């Protein structure tokens, strides 16, 4: 083999190895379906719902399925879920301080001690009714990651912002304020949920074009901050009147990686249909 051929050979193998290494290190994003029960169900109703979903889903779902139950059901839900692969438990909130004199609050340590793996942070209902600020949400994200819980971080604009056409900038501000302080390795663990407030519980879902436009814009923002690999590896869920009928179209959008489901997660058949809509 002459010197020129040797050189070509060397570059060929070097490129092949680099390509395969990048496949290994690149986190391919996954579709996720998470049910946020909000303040619904009793313990018996909740455990029945989970059992019924598990029964109806005979095959392993294409991506993680997460149940965000109210705090008092977490332990019971964890016991049912731990025997089935692909199913995870989330809390709907956590406190922004590690521990202490915060009567009635629940810490990240408590959540992980009862088996929660994810925690929803920054849901619009928490921002609106409990006046949670971007700074508090940033603290919650830090605490969750520090204790090994994966944040499902919610963002989304109210109707007047959507009507003014400034929704992309509004959501960008929320993400920058509560997530962009994270180093890359930590940011990779975050799941984002885009939930336009005007679509939550209203039966008025975002159109597939509206969802795709915002999800793509979020991904561009992530790419600018963390690079394309990280942006491509981040799951961005859609939430807001997502149901068994519209989930397949929404999930087919290139930048929609599953959903955060409210009302439709309370009925086993509906939730199972949405889980089955994952691509
Ligand atoms: P709905 O699916 O009931 O609109 O709720 C969405 C939501 O807020 C999930 O977190």
């Amino acid at each position: 083999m002459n010197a020129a051929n040797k050189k070509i050979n060397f570059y060929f193998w070097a490129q092949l190895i680099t390509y395969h290494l990048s496949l290994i290190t690149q986190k391919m994003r996954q579709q996720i379906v998470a049910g946020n029960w909000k303040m619904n169900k009793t313990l018996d109703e909740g455990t029945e719902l989970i059992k019924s979903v598990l029964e109806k889903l005979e095959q392993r779902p294409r991506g993680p399925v997460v149940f965000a139950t109210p705090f008092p059901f977490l332990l019971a839900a964890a016991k049912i879920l731990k025997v089935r692969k692909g199913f995870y438990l989330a809390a709907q909130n956590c406190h922004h301080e590690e521990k202490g004199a915060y009567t009635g609050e629940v810490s990240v340590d408590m959540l992980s001690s009862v088996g929660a793996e994810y925690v929803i942070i920054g849901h619009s209902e928490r921002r609106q009714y409990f006046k949670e600020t971007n700074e508090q949400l940033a603290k919650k994200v830090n605490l969750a990651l520090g204790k090994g819980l994966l944040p499902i971080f919610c963002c989304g604009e109210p109707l007047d912002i959507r009507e003014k056409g400034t929704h992309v900038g509004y959501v960008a501000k929320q993400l920058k304020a509560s997530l962009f302080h994270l180093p890359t390795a930590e940011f990779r663990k975050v799941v984002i949920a885009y939930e336009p407030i005007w679509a939550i519980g209203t039966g008025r879902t975002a159109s597939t074009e509206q969802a795709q436009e915002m999800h793509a814009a979020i991904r561009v923002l992530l790419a600018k901050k963390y690079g394309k690999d990280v942006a491509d590896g981040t799951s961005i869920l859609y939430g807001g009147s997502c149901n068994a009928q519209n989930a397949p179209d929404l999930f087919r959008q290139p930048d929609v990686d599953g959903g955060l489901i409210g009302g439709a997660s309370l009925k086993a058949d509906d939730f199972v249909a949405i889980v089955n809509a994952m691509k």
Side-chain angles (χ1 to χ4, degrees), residues 197-213:
I197 297 171
W198 46 271
I200 296 178
T202 58
R204 177 182 168 186
T205 183
S207 67
T208 49
E209 293 78 18
Q210 286 172 321
Q212 169 55 25
E213 181 219 28

Side-chain angles (χ1 to χ4, degrees), residues 130 140 263:
F130 302 94
K140 292 183 188 213

Side-chain angles (χ1 to χ4, degrees), residues 34-38 120 123-125 154 193 195-196 199-204 238-243 259-265:
N36 175 11
W37 295 1
K38 308 191 179 182
I120 298 175
H123 193 283
S124 60
E125 287 150 16
C154 301
E195 301 203 313
I200 296 178
T202 58
R204 177 182 168 186
Y238 170 79
S241 298
C242 182
N243 57 37
L260 181 55
I261 319 299
S265 72

Side-chain angles (χ1 to χ4, degrees), residues 129-188:
Y129 304 133
F130 302 94
K131 307 288 173 242
E132 293 190 357
T133 63
N134 287 331
E135 293 69 35
Q136 286 171 337
L137 301 180
K139 280 185 170 184
K140 292 183 188 213
V141 168
N142 293 346
L143 272 176
L145 288 170
K147 305 284 184 177
L149 279 177
L150 304 175
I152 301 176
F153 184 84
C154 301
C155 56
E157 79 287 354
L159 187 59
D160 61 320
I161 296 290
R162 166 65 61 167
E163 282 170 348
K164 268 192 247 162
T166 53
H167 44 288
V168 171
Y170 185 94
V171 165
K173 246 192 198 158
Q174 291 179 319
L175 298 176
K176 283 180 189 164
S178 302
L179 291 180
F180 279 14
H181 61 284
L182 293 172
T184 304
E186 291 298 280
F187 182 83
R188 279 180 188 275

